[in-house]
Amino acid sequence: MFRDGWAVASKDLKIEIRSRVLAMQVMPLTGAILIIFGFALGPDIGRLRQNASGLIWVSILLCSMLAVQRSIAIERECGGEFLKLTGYDLAGVFIGKVLAVAIEVFLIAIATIAITSVVFNTGLHGIMNILVLIAVTALASISLSSAGIIFGAMFISSDTAETLLPLIYLPLTSPVLLAATKASLPTFSGSGSIKLIWVGILFLLAVAYFSVGSISFEPLLEDY
Amino acid sequence: MTSLLETENADNFSDKDKILLENILKKTGPSRIKYALGAGSIITAVLTVWLGLFVTPNDEHLGDTVRLLYVHPPVAWAALYLAFGTTTLASLLWLWPKTRSFFWDKVAGASAEIGVLYLALTLITGSIWGRTTWGVWWTWDARLTLTAVLLVLYVAYLAIRQLDGTSKAKATRNAITALFAAIDVPIVHFSVLWWNTLHQTASVLTPGLHLTVPLSMGLTMGLGFLCTTLIWGWMMKARYDIELLKAVTGEMESQRAILQRRSEL
Amino acid sequence: MNSYVIAGYLIAIVSIVGYSLSLILRRNSLRKQLQKLKNDSEQNTDDK
């Protein structure tokens, strides 16, 4: 199962590296979103830093949706069968798809944080904060990609996939957004101390989304 | 779905079909349980309103506003735990191969629709409460925000239920969406503990089951809970009947169309 | 009495009663439709 998962994930990542959509389109997009926020919220750098955590996570959320759509598009080109007929274990396929998207979301998050540290002048304030931030980002990536893969697969053959996916994906992942924002607020604003309960909540959310996703994937594909 | 009807002639039904239709008409017609639930709902609702508005005393700090407490927690409870809990359970029972039956899909949809109504009422009564006690209609308090998210999620669930597909694929899709939406319910539940914000924690009945308010207020609130539960039960039956009737009439009409088409050829 | 409280009660009552009525009406019209389909078929059988 895990070997299949790894095979699927590395296949997806190789396709992504070759097409360079992530590097050349999605990463610049997150920069564009942050700059728009900067315009909208005015030149006051203090206010931008105060709100940086929320802005960062909103842009990661929006860009993660694109990563999900990319990952689903690969399958759609192959007939939307999700490698069902190739002998791979379906649980493995799910793990692989989630892993690939989670790695992409993680990279998007790093790029977003790097851009903000330049344009919003946010620092990272200490090694402990950086470790917490890595944990937060990894956990959030798993939640986002689990929910994204399931609903991407659900609407894969629908004509209105472009509107249906955001309609369910954005509200569904907003608890992740909320918890991740709270967990990394002190790191970006430089005031207050980190409350580890948020990391705990993110962990529970990651477990919940991933396990609901893995029990859903097989029944979802069996009827298409 | 295997065909409900075995019609072979556009204008005639087989005897088996007639029995099936007879059964469905009987099932969705008047029945003792419907009258019992309906009467119970009306009696408890009238009592709750009468006790809540006219009999119970004013609170020394909150004044009249305390009377909203006989409505707000009962509808919130019925929405979050009763209605959405039923939707979640029914969805799991659909996904589990051994208990898979379209009955569960219909139950899940019916309960979610009632849950959306109750949750909207929860937000409205909560908002009125906020206006009178905190001075604002809405604050970005964690519980309020997450409850609003929950409402959007279940509205999206109801929208997804309307999408096309084979009935089996549809039911699976609905069940999976319901399970994902259900993740937000415990977050709403614990939000008052995790976030230290405006919305108060449960305070009428402490965890040790000690009543902290006068008995009449406690009883009225309990009656409110009973009332929303009975109304949910009555609505469930009615909403389920509608789903059943829709499924049969839809099936019959498509069957007729096919047969008509065939006789024309 | 506080008008906000009255408004809260009214909104709750009206929407619950309204939804219940809509359920009753929808169920009745569907039942009528089904009854009609059934009667039509019986009529046809009798004609033959």
Side-chain angles (χ1 to χ4, degrees):
Chain A
M1 182 170 81
F2 290 106
R3 192 181 303 150
D4 287 355
W6 182 245
V8 173
S10 58
K11 175 205 71 143
D12 273 20
L13 289 171
K14 267 182 208 144
I15 294 176
E16 208 46 66
I17 291 168
R18 212 174 306 143
S19 71
R20 297 210 201 125
V21 172
L22 195 68
M24 305 302 286
Q25 294 177 16
V26 181
M27 302 254 185
L29 181 71
T30 175
I33 294 173
L34 287 171
I35 290 168
I36 288 171
F37 277 141
F39 273 133
L41 294 177
D44 181 358
I45 199 83
R47 182 158 60 182
L48 285 176
R49 274 182 61 176
Q50 208 78 65
N51 297 320
S53 185
L55 302 182
I56 287 171
W57 282 104
V58 169
S59 18
I60 293 172
L61 186 64
L62 293 176
C63 291
S64 72
M65 205 158 62
L66 298 180
V68 168
Q69 280 168 339
R70 291 280 312 149
S71 167
I72 295 300
I74 295 173
E75 299 305 322
R76 190 183 291 130
E77 277 162 30
C78 309
E81 293 275 308
F82 279 92
L83 313 165
K84 202 160 49 171
L85 306 173
T86 50
Y88 279 122
D89 183 17
L90 271 182
V93 174
F94 178 69
I95 293 175
K97 296 299 280 184
V98 168
L99 188 65
V101 174
I103 290 173
E104 288 165 28
V105 174
F106 193 81
L107 293 175
I108 293 170
I110 289 178
T112 312
I113 291 164
I115 296 168
T116 9
S117 71
V118 177
V119 296
F120 292 179
N121 197 20
T122 52
L124 289 174
H125 310 286
I127 187 81
M128 184 59 198
N129 283 9
I130 293 173
L131 286 178
V132 170
L133 189 61
I134 290 172
V136 165
T137 313
L139 291 171
S141 308
I142 292 172
S143 302
L144 296 181
S145 53
S146 305
I149 288 297
I150 292 295
F151 285 95
M154 187 182 286
F155 303 136
I156 193 163
S157 54
S158 166
D159 303 333
T160 51
E162 294 84 358
T163 46
L164 274 172
L165 186 63
L167 174 71
I168 189 83
Y169 182 74
L170 293 180
L172 197 65
T173 51
S174 55
V176 180
L177 174 84
L178 218 55
T181 303
K182 293 276 182 189
S184 45
L185 192 63
T187 309
F188 294 124
S189 68
S191 58
S193 58
I194 287 173
K195 294 200 179 71
L196 281 176
I197 186 169
W198 297 113
V199 186
I201 292 171
L202 275 170
F203 175 75
L204 289 180
L205 284 174
V207 171
Y209 283 97
F210 184 77
S211 39
V212 172
S214 42
I215 61 168
S216 307
F217 194 64
E218 263 189 70
L220 186 63
L221 291 191
E222 125 198 338
D223 295 322
Y224 279 90
Chain B
M1 179 157 63
T2 51
S3 177
L4 280 171
L5 303 167
E6 302 187 331
T7 324
E8 282 177 13
N9 180 323
D11 298 320
N12 267 316
F13 295 121
S14 69
D15 288 344
K16 222 174 150 191
D17 288 341
K18 264 185 209 154
I19 294 169
L20 180 98
L21 289 184
E22 201 76 62
N23 255 337
I24 283 173
L25 282 171
K26 202 188 273 174
K27 253 193 199 168
T28 57
S31 74
R32 212 173 280 170
I33 183 125
K34 271 181 225 175
Y35 286 133
L37 282 169
S41 306
I42 292 171
I43 293 168
T44 50
V46 169
L47 272 177
T48 308
V49 172
W50 177 61
L51 289 172
L53 283 182
F54 304 111
V55 177
T56 49
N58 275 358
D59 187 82
E60 40 183 311
H61 305 295
L62 296 164
D64 266 346
T65 313
V66 76
R67 300 177 192 283
L68 282 172
L69 278 187
Y70 310 128
V71 182
H72 178 70
V75 285
W77 177 82
L80 283 175
Y81 310 114
L82 189 60
F84 295 150
T86 305
T87 302
T88 311
L89 193 66
S91 303
L92 276 173
L93 288 171
W94 164 265
L95 283 180
W96 201 37
K98 278 185 190 163
T99 48
R100 179 164 294 190
S101 142
F102 284 103
F103 171 74
W104 295 120
D105 181 49
K106 293 191 182 85
V107 166
S111 195
E113 195 176 293
I114 301 163
V116 164
L117 173 79
Y118 272 166
L119 198 65
L121 281 178
T122 308
L123 281 173
I124 292 168
T125 52
S127 182
I128 293 171
W129 169 272
R131 181 70 183 79
T132 53
T133 55
W134 310 325
V136 285
W137 290 109
W138 183 263
T139 77
W140 289 99
D141 167 85
R143 181 167 256 191
L144 268 62
T145 311
L146 287 165
T147 309
V149 166
L150 196 66
L151 184 65
V152 174
L153 275 177
Y154 278 94
V155 169
Y157 167 76
L158 293 180
I160 284 175
R161 287 188 71 87
Q162 305 296 319
L163 296 179
D164 290 338
T166 65
S167 20
K168 199 166 163 237
K170 270 172 78 168
T172 302
R173 199 163 58 190
N174 300 340
I176 291 169
T177 313
L179 287 190
F180 269 98
I183 295 176
D184 198 29
V185 174
I187 307 178
V188 171
H189 178 89
F190 289 115
S191 58
V192 265
L193 302 176
W194 292 342
W195 281 264
N196 240 330
T197 47
L198 227 45
H199 196 291
Q200 56 192 309
T201 50
S203 54
V204 173
L205 216 56
T206 57
L209 292 178
H210 291 297
L211 209 56
T212 57
V213 293
L215 188 63
S216 68
M217 293 168 89
L219 281 178
T220 310
M221 203 163 163
L223 202 63
F225 280 99
L226 183 64
C227 172
T228 50
T229 306
L230 287 173
I231 294 177
W232 172 83
W234 183 89
M235 284 176 173
M236 273 302 283
K237 180 75 182 108
R239 191 67 190 78
Y240 175 78
D241 284 352
I242 291 173
E243 285 290 312
L244 196 65
L245 288 165
K246 269 207 296 210
V248 180
T249 35
E251 177 84 11
M252 254 166 77
E253 257 146 29
S254 64
Q255 200 93 347
R256 287 199 148 195
I258 294 169
L259 291 168
Q260 216 131 44
R261 194 64 219 279
R262 204 182 286 160
S263 63
E264 280 164 15
L265 287 176
Chain C
M1 200 175 295
N2 191 328
S3 57
Y4 286 121
V5 176
I6 308 267
Y9 272 75
L10 271 182
I11 290 170
I13 293 167
V14 167
S15 47
I16 286 176
V17 170
Y19 181 69
S20 305
L21 281 179
S22 86
L23 287 179
I24 292 174
L25 291 179
R26 257 197 294 175
R27 177 167 63 189
N28 283 354
S29 80
L30 281 166
R31 271 170 59 79
K32 244 178 231 158
Q33 206 179 329
L34 201 65
Q35 191 81 52
K36 195 172 161 286
L37 281 168
K38 190 170 147 270
N39 289 347
D40 284 356
S41 86
E42 271 164 11
Q43 205 105 53
N44 282 328
T45 327
D46 294 344
D47 289 347
K48 277 173 195 171

